[in-house]
């Protein structure tokens, strides 16, 4: 890597030269693993995806081609031209319904569209015809009902541009864009398909593909629509990065790592962003450097399957050896010319650098808690879940410094069941967020978090559990460089309590901090609970030293301990 430039980039030391060097290094490292004809990239390791070795080899080709396209590396693109000729001559698996090749077809089509004069236009007619025919299957292949709907859109955008099956291409574009409208929930947020799946796919998929399609098509109407949504999304999205550059460790496909920076660059590319050029680069370069400094690339120069280093706990069944190379999306910023202000402006502080903040995010019903002293961001999750129990979706809290633990951190364990399903948002406001969910044995739990600085008050009202059922409340996991605390405040002995004859309230104080000597928790907040045990009616007053005092009321609308009627409201 080039020497740091702390004048232009006082926060990260990284400039465009560092991004170029990182891209060049990643491309050089994968080259030895290409098959002789260049059609497949079989990266080393025993781990394979559920799609099999052939599909994994195609994934290696497609995702690294995307990196070469953003880099506009003509020498590398020549190698990929050879691979395209061989792959479409019978080496690659066909694109079929809900198949992994549909995903990779989108990366190939996007790369060809971005580099048309450098790659596509230089191919023989026969290769172009074969490639268009192979990609053409993506126009009618059935995607999964999630961000996959955008893969036919991406293929259709390229094929329409080169005149291949224009009617089918336009139909695929219209169909996919119509589908994602069903999942747009406002304020710049999509769900990743039906339900309440909110994570980084919002930025690196749900926004990336429509915005790039509109930008490449020079479609003013679509660009206004999608880049406007992106700009609103970035207001929240910029808060998901810690002072050390780390993204929040929440959601699936975390092994894509610095792909999280793609929407930051995309806002600069379209000119529709609430972030200054210096802030955009500070956040993006911070994330790239975070991973490069912490072992994401091994001694061979390859991205590993994991987060920092190898870590199979962050993988899914579809993760293959080359899956991490969707991190290539981070290099969309290289489409901006060297003299663009996003590269020439001095780095400016991001949200985590500027001030402590507790920020509600409406659509996913999250609360983002940021402290500048340690650069930590904590995400209190009161509205996002996966269809199955997934520790990266269903916990009550995530941060930039910790990973979900096997001991069920940030959970309410009723009996011995840590499950949290049917999450229902109950709102978020100034310093608070609330939800309810179904827990072990069908019990319903109303959850409230009130936060200020690094301190949290967590209240959990458990209804529908048999009297005497044990309830365990857990807080943050310990990790290097941070300290986690959990103190009982009401109905808990250490972290465990038992239910009474009716709905029972449990309250704890929590903190995750990187400060070496913080003020004791008991001196940082005062909590007073009023209410008759067993009746399920409580007032919880939270008071901060030299700060506000707020009362949160738990009530049943019909006066009975019915799980469906519980709510929490500040007053």
């Amino acid at each position: 890597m080039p020497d740091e430039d702390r004048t232009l980039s006082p926060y990260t030391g990284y400039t465009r030269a560092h991004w170029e060097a990182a891209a060049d290094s990643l491309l050089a490292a994968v080259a030895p693993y290409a098959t002789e004809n260049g059609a497949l990239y079989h990266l080393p390791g025993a781990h394979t995806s559920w799609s099999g070795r052939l599909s994994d080899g195609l994934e290696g080709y497609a995702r690294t081609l995307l990196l070469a396209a953003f880099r506009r590396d003509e020498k590398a693109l020549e190698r990929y031209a050879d691979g395209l000729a061989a792959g479409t001559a019978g080496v690659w698996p066909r694109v079929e319904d809900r198949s992994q090749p549909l995903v990779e077809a989108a990366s190939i089509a996007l790369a060809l569209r971005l580099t048309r004069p450098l790659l596509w236009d230089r191919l023989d007619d026969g290769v172009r015809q074969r490639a268009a025919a192979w990609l053409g299957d993506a126009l009618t292949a059935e995607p999964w009902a999630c961000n996959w709907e955008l893969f036919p859109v991406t293929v259709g955008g390229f094929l329409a541009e080169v005149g291949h099956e224009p009617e089918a291409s336009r139909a695929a574009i219209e169909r996919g864009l119509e589908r994602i409208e069903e999942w747009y929930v406002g304020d710049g947020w999509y769900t990743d398909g039906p339900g309440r799946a909110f994570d980084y796919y919002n930025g690196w998929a749900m926004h990336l593909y429509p915005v790039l399609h509109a930008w490449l098509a020079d479609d003013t109407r679509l660009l206004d629509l999608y880049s406007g949504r992106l700009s609103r999304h970035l207001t929240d999205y910029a808060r998901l990065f810690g002072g050390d550059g780390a993204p929040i460790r929440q959601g699936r496909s975390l092994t894509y790592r610095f792909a999280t920076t793609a929407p930051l660059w995309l806002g600069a590319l379209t000119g529709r962003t609430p972030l200054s050029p210096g802030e955009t680069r500070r956040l993006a370069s911070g994330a790239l450097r975070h991973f490069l400094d912490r072992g994401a690339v091994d001694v061979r120069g390859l991205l590993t399957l994991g987060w920092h280093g190898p870590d199979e706990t962050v993988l899914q069944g579809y993760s293959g050896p080359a899956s991490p190379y969707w991190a290539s999306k981070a290099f969309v910023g290289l489409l901006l010319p060297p003299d663009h202000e996003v590269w020439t402006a001095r780095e400016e502080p991001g949200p985590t650098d500027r001030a402590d903040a507790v920020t509600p995010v409406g659509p996913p019903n999250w609360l983002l808690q940021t402290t500048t002293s340690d650069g930590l961001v904590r995400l209190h999750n009161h509205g996002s879940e996966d269809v199955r129990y997934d520790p990266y979706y269903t916990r009550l809290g995530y941060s930039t410094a910790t990973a979900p633990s096997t001991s069920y951190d940030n959970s309410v364990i009723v009996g011995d069941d840590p499950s949290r399903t049917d999450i229902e948002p109950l709102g978020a406001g100034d310093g608070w967020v609330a939800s309810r969910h179904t827990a072990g044995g069908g019990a319903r739990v109303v959850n409230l978090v009130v936060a200020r600085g690094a301190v949290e008050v967590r209240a959990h009202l458990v209804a529908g559990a048999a009297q005497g059922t044990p309830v365990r409340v857990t807080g943050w996991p310990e990790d290097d460089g941070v300290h986690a605390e959990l103190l009982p405040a009401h109905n808990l002995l250490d972290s465990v309590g038992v239910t009474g004859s009716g709905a029972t309230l449990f309250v704890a104080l929590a903190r995750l901090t990187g400060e070496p000597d913080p003020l004791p928790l008991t001196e940082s907040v005062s909590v007073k609970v009023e209410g008759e045990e067993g009746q399920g009616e409580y007032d919880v007053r939270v008071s901060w030293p030299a700060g506000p005092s707020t009362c949160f009321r738990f009530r049943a609308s019909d006066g009975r301990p019915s799980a469906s009627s519980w709510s929490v409201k500040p007053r």
Side-chain angles (χ1 to χ4, degrees):
M1 294 289 265
D3 292 338
E4 294 182 359
D5 185 339
R6 291 289 174 175
T7 300
L8 185 63
S9 303
Y11 288 90
T12 71
Y14 273 23
T15 64
R16 181 186 174 95
H18 293 83
W19 282 85
E20 292 173 340
D24 293 343
S25 178
L26 290 170
L27 284 170
V30 299
Y33 300 98
T35 53
E36 186 176 356
N37 58 17
L40 304 168
Y41 282 67
H42 290 304
L43 301 187
H47 189 96
T48 58
S49 76
W50 56 29
S51 297
R53 190 169 186 269
L54 178 60
S55 177
D56 290 349
L58 169 61
E59 185 174 71
Y61 172 91
R63 299 190 178 194
T64 56
L65 167 61
L66 190 59
L67 175 57
F70 288 137
R71 181 67 176 100
R72 298 181 184 270
D73 184 333
E74 292 194 48
K75 186 175 181 180
L77 290 173
E78 290 177 5
R79 298 197 304 269
Y80 286 97
D82 294 339
L84 185 70
T88 57
V91 174
W92 291 345
R94 288 192 60 182
V95 178
E96 298 176 330
D97 292 349
R98 300 185 181 91
S99 67
Q100 189 63 32
L102 175 58
V103 183
E104 309 319 319
S107 289
I108 293 170
L110 179 56
L112 292 173
R113 196 175 186 187
L114 288 167
T115 62
R116 185 176 171 184
L118 302 176
L119 178 49
W120 181 261
D121 292 347
R122 298 179 182 180
L123 296 173
D124 293 340
D125 286 343
V127 176
R128 285 200 293 261
Q129 291 171 11
R130 291 201 311 271
W134 185 84
L135 289 168
D137 286 342
L139 300 176
T140 54
E142 184 68 24
W144 291 105
C146 61
N147 65 87
W148 279 48
E149 293 282 0
L150 293 169
F151 301 144
V153 171
T154 304
V155 174
F158 170 66
L159 292 181
E161 184 178 287
V162 298
H164 180 79
E165 297 189 30
E167 291 186 9
S169 296
R170 285 193 293 271
I173 295 168
E174 292 173 2
R175 184 172 58 249
L177 296 182
E178 286 175 2
R179 286 302 305 275
I180 68 169
E181 287 304 300
E182 301 174 21
W183 305 324
Y184 184 68
V185 293
D187 290 340
W189 284 87
Y190 295 88
T191 62
D192 188 14
R196 296 193 57 83
F198 294 101
D199 62 13
Y200 280 114
Y201 270 90
N202 260 273
W204 69 40
M206 305 303 293
H207 284 287
L208 181 73
Y209 292 111
V211 171
L212 276 180
H213 167 70
W215 181 71
L216 289 165
D218 197 22
D219 187 319
T220 302
R221 182 186 67 83
L222 286 181
L223 191 59
D224 284 346
L225 173 65
Y226 294 126
S227 62
R229 290 178 179 177
L230 170 66
S231 181
R232 175 61 186 87
H233 183 67
L234 289 173
T235 301
D236 297 326
Y237 193 85
R239 296 185 177 276
L240 299 178
F241 296 86
D244 62 354
I248 290 278
R249 242 183 286 191
Q250 178 268 344
R252 63 191 177 95
S253 300
L254 292 180
T255 195
Y256 302 158
R257 296 178 172 105
F258 40 84
T260 54
T261 67
L264 303 170
W265 295 121
L266 199 61
L269 186 70
T270 60
R272 296 290 296 274
T273 176
L275 311 177
S276 69
E279 185 179 2
T280 296
R281 196 176 77 253
R282 183 269 180 273
L283 294 173
S285 292
L288 177 64
R289 178 157 196 167
H290 177 84
F291 288 107
L292 295 185
D293 284 354
R294 290 168 174 79
V297 175
D298 68 16
V299 294
R300 298 164 294 192
L302 300 174
L303 286 169
T304 60
L305 281 163
W307 181 247
H308 290 148
D311 180 2
E312 293 204 356
T313 67
V314 303
L315 304 183
Q316 283 73 37
Y318 53 76
S319 302
S323 291
Y325 284 85
W326 241 10
S328 299
K329 294 180 177 185
F331 294 88
V332 67
L334 294 179
L335 296 178
L336 293 158
D339 61 354
H340 190 281
E341 58 184 348
V342 80
W343 294 117
T344 61
R346 180 180 169 88
E347 279 185 350
E348 296 179 10
T352 310
D353 305 315
R354 293 195 294 264
D356 289 3
V358 181
T359 308
V361 182
N365 207 55
W366 287 349
L367 191 71
L368 301 179
Q369 181 186 11
T370 300
T371 45
T372 59
S373 60
D374 51 16
L376 294 185
V377 182
R378 309 147 192 86
L379 186 161
H380 298 284
N381 171 33
H382 287 256
S384 180
E385 68 176 327
D386 198 12
V387 293
R388 56 196 178 276
Y389 184 87
D390 187 322
Y392 285 93
Y393 266 99
T394 48
R395 301 286 169 88
L396 283 158
Y398 299 91
S399 84
T400 54
T402 61
S405 70
T406 56
S407 59
Y408 297 101
D409 63 280
N410 289 299
S411 298
V412 180
I413 302 170
V414 179
D416 59 359
D417 189 340
S419 61
R420 183 183 183 217
T421 58
D422 303 320
I423 298 174
E424 181 184 352
L426 294 178
D430 184 13
W432 66 273
V433 65
S435 63
R436 65 179 153 220
H437 71 268
T438 300
R444 291 289 281 174
V445 182
V446 175
N447 307 283
L448 167 71
V449 171
V450 188
R452 184 178 174 87
V455 178
E456 309 159 29
V457 176
R458 299 185 179 192
H460 309 285
L461 183 68
V462 179
Q467 184 174 357
T469 300
V471 174
R472 183 161 64 93
V473 174
T474 63
W476 294 102
E478 292 280 357
D479 212 322
D480 292 342
V482 293
H483 177 58
E485 298 172 81
L486 187 74
L487 295 179
H490 182 76
N491 273 341
L492 292 170
L493 181 62
D494 290 330
S495 62
V496 179
V498 294
T499 56
S501 59
T504 308
L505 183 71
F506 303 93
V507 184
L509 310 181
R511 177 163 55 193
L512 177 71
T513 182
E515 290 189 32
D517 189 25
L519 189 70
L521 265 180
T522 52
E523 298 177 23
S524 302
V525 65
S526 173
V527 179
K528 183 178 181 181
V529 178
E530 295 180 350
E532 186 175 346
E533 297 291 345
Q535 298 301 310
E537 298 185 354
Y538 300 91
D539 284 347
V540 179
R541 180 167 295 280
V542 178
S543 303
W544 305 98
S549 176
T550 307
C551 187
F552 295 86
R553 171 164 290 177
F554 292 81
R555 288 289 186 271
S557 59
D558 60 1
R560 294 182 291 107
S562 168
S564 63
S565 62
W566 291 100
S567 63
V568 57
K569 294 180 180 180
R571 70 175 181 88

